[in-house]
Amino acid sequence: MQRINRSELIKAAAKLIESGEADRVLGWKKGEFDYDVTPYVFNSIDEIEKDFVWGDFCGANFSKYLIKETAKSDKKVAVFLKPCDTYSFNQLLIEHRFEREKVCVIGVSCSGMADIRKIKDTAGEGIAKIEEQDGYLNVFTLYDGIVKIDSKDALAERCLCCTKRCVVYDELLGDGENKADNDRFAKVEELEELTEEQRYAFWKSELSKCIRCNACRDVCPACTCEKCVFDDPRSVLENKAAANEFEEKLYHIIRAFHVAGRCTDCGECSRVCPQNIPLHLLNRKFIKDINAFYGQYQAGEKAGQRAPLVDYTTEDREP
Amino acid sequence: MQRIGVFICHCGSNIAATVDTSAVVNALSAEPGVVCAVDYPYMCSASGQDMIKEAIKEKELTGIVICSCSPRMHEATFRKAAAAAGLNPYMVEIANIREQCSWVHKDKQTATEKAIVLGRAAIAKVSLNTPLQPGEIPVTKRALVIGGGIAGIQTALDIADAGFEVDIVEKKPTIGGKMAQLDKTFPTLDCAACILTPKMVEASQNEKIRIYSYSKVEEVSGFVGNFTVKIRKKARFVDENKCTGCGLCTEKCPVKNVPNEFNLGMDSRHAVYIPFAQAVPKVAVIDADYCRMLKDGKCGLCSKICGAGAIKYDQEDEIIENKYGAIVAATGCEPIDLDKFDEFAYSKSKDVITSLQFERLMNAAGPTGGVLLRPSDNKHPKTIVFVQCVGSRCEAHAKKGKEYCSKICCMYTAKHAMLTREKYPDTDVYVFYIDVRTPGKNFDEFYRRVAEEYGVHYIKGMVGKICAENGTLKVQASDLLADKQLHIDADLVVLAAAIEPDRSTRPLATMLTASMDTNDFFTEAHPKLRPVESPTAGIFLSGCCQGPKDIPETVAQAGAAASKVIGLLCKDRLTANPCVAHCDEMSCNGCSTCENVCPYHAVTYIEKEFRMPDRTTKIRRVAQVNPAVCQGCGACTVACPSKAMDLYGFSGKQIYAEVDAICR
């Protein structure tokens, strides 16, 4: 159950459109199923009132959409950003990917998003409808009737360890802070303790599931290159990615290197992976190492900050 | 398809003893694109080079690979040979099969295999080389010398002597540096001031030399031949053009208790002062921290008394911007802080002093007028203990002092001991040393005279502890040769403090993008063959900022740095290195990562209009590289997330091709 109501979000968006501050709103639109929510650009208050949704399946991070959306018009675009999304937003501003002035940010407090895979694990296939009620999800299935699941048990992994807060907004709904107490590096530490062979086996089994649909890259707010190296025949990397004994190993590792220091740990890569590969673990390993080598660093936390891996300072040690 | 020639050098037995060169010839001639592969005892010899030139012409080669020593040795040689035969010099690749292969391996079979792999990688790279044309850059014919000690003065004089204009920037109100504070100089014992001050005067009178005293370098931009430097000329509250240096103000100033830094705080000066009698420029300076007029607006005595009307209380710092073709760092050294050496009671007793303080105590212009009196009670010390290596040659884990030898202490301590015994024969002089190091012309002879003829007690061993008790200094030490503990009651203890680079050196090095070592000394371009050049083009090193040196060495290096500067300034144009970064604007995201990592500020961003594939125009933020500033380090190419940055001569494609060839 979200702490902020849908009506409050609609009110905030309607105010911006009515006042002429923004002429469109980037938000979540109802999909074919309740858990199948789609990013959408709403052009009118009517549209918003009809199709806008806010609930436990609004996981999509809109920051990356702003690169193309802001380029379309000189008018401002309004956008809903959850706490974790605001870090990606800041990181993109640091990288000059769009102009801050062209966006109205409505920061939305979030109580964590549900992971449909966890629900399916309990309720099985054939989910027709999901309703929230008093901290429980009533899952209507075609085969097993109504299955009741505690909302907490359905929370996505990234939300279980979320300590993020809205770091950038024009308007904030709620306090915009999360204080989960799970350690996000627990699984990384577990993997670090494995032997090299065991770790290799773990990643081999995970990454060999990859069907190279590119969803992780396409959703990633750090992957905003004008031309991706994996799509560019001149980059030489293009045909390197697949040329290995387990498919696409290099693709994911190269991608993790590319976003190292810029990844805000928003977890979108794992959310969209149709094969359930825990891709966020690769990024978290980098984040953990950066923290260990250069001190605590959270990408996107502050506007204008420079990531330790791509900065040159006078205090850098001479080789 | 490239037509590649491969030339394998034996380097006498340097390579051939460990690498089967004929096996390398056989293996590499089978590589795609290779039309000839030969080996020869000395490829760098004239006949070796002729062989390469003939092959280029005869076999119509489009690229060559030399399997030989490090490219730092002979890349230039082979590029010239290729150019002489009509081949673009950047179509030459070196496979280093000496330093990186034959010298580090013992087993002939593995070394041969590795040589083949290295050769293969170079062939893969040269196949993707493109001919490059170096550009040309103009040269501003003026040099900047940072630091006005003996090193800076000598460098400036030598550059001016060759007819080029040169500016000296000195942070203190006068030039002269540390040498001006010395009494006598070893081993000839001529008076430091007598040999230094004529040079100071010469520098000030030379019309090619401009001296910015009481100034510091604020900002450096540009590149070899074309530096732009901002100099902050600090307000001295005295008009330099009007002040005659009469010194009247310095006598009448009512603030008298300012510690005199020239005498290392052992006496005091006035708030308005001239550092010493022979200061250049001989212009008074007002110490804003102490001047009553500047602090409280009450006084103004110096202004009233100055006949020339030179006092200007409203003077402000001035920023001067100049262009230079070359910059010489001559920032010198200073003794280390002794706060971590409390076992010698330096902070507890006034009678424990540094050697530089001792110089002042012996000097006629010093606080005691040249009479050796100890600071606490102005009595003649009858027993003096000199402790050498205080902070020098420390072990790394001791976490105090320096690991290096400060080089000058053995000789100046010998000098101090000799001068003391000569002037005050009734004084007992002990010198505690780890080793006595006297490698210099007439140095050892001097030291032996001190030890053998002047009756100085040289004791091998270190002082463990010094305690000040009732006016005497209880010195506990060990005599390693006699294997016994010593207890000496001394009246004065002189510590030969290690020297370290001036504290302004690190921020300056950052501005100059010149590299430093872990001790903050400037790094030279090559420790043996290019000792007065920084690896950053156009930056030269003079004196102790590069490492501890005595005066003759400093002067020699100063002259050498000047000759390098003259060699640069006498050119009208410089050839630029074509192996620089460039940006593929269509791939550039405009993220500024390259700009952030560039140590040379060679990358800037512009808003540029693009014709997009869908026939629209779009204004995009893209990176631009200034090829004259870029040093080709490649930091940007690694950092760029979209691989828009690439290096000519070391493209991503070429590197991947090399790695592929190695892993094949």
Side-chain angles (χ1 to χ4, degrees), chain B residues 432-463:
Chain B
F432 285 92
Y433 66 94
I434 303 175
D435 298 295
V436 176
R437 297 179 164 181
T438 53
K441 193 173 176 182
N442 295 327
F443 282 13
D444 204 54
E445 297 91 317
F446 181 86
Y447 153 64
R448 282 211 311 272
R449 259 169 48 220
V450 175
E452 291 162 12
E453 294 171 25
Y454 280 82
V456 173
H457 308 295
Y458 264 83
I459 298 167
K460 187 177 174 74
M462 267 311 274
V463 171

Side-chain angles (χ1 to χ4, degrees), chain A residues 95 97 226 234 240 306 314, chain B residues 510 584 589 591 596 660:
Chain A
E95 293 170 19
R97 302 301 282 137
E226 293 287 315
R234 293 170 312 159
K240 283 259 187 297
R306 287 177 173 192
T314 55
Chain B
T510 309
D584 172 11
N589 298 338
C591 70
N596 292 348
D660 276 350

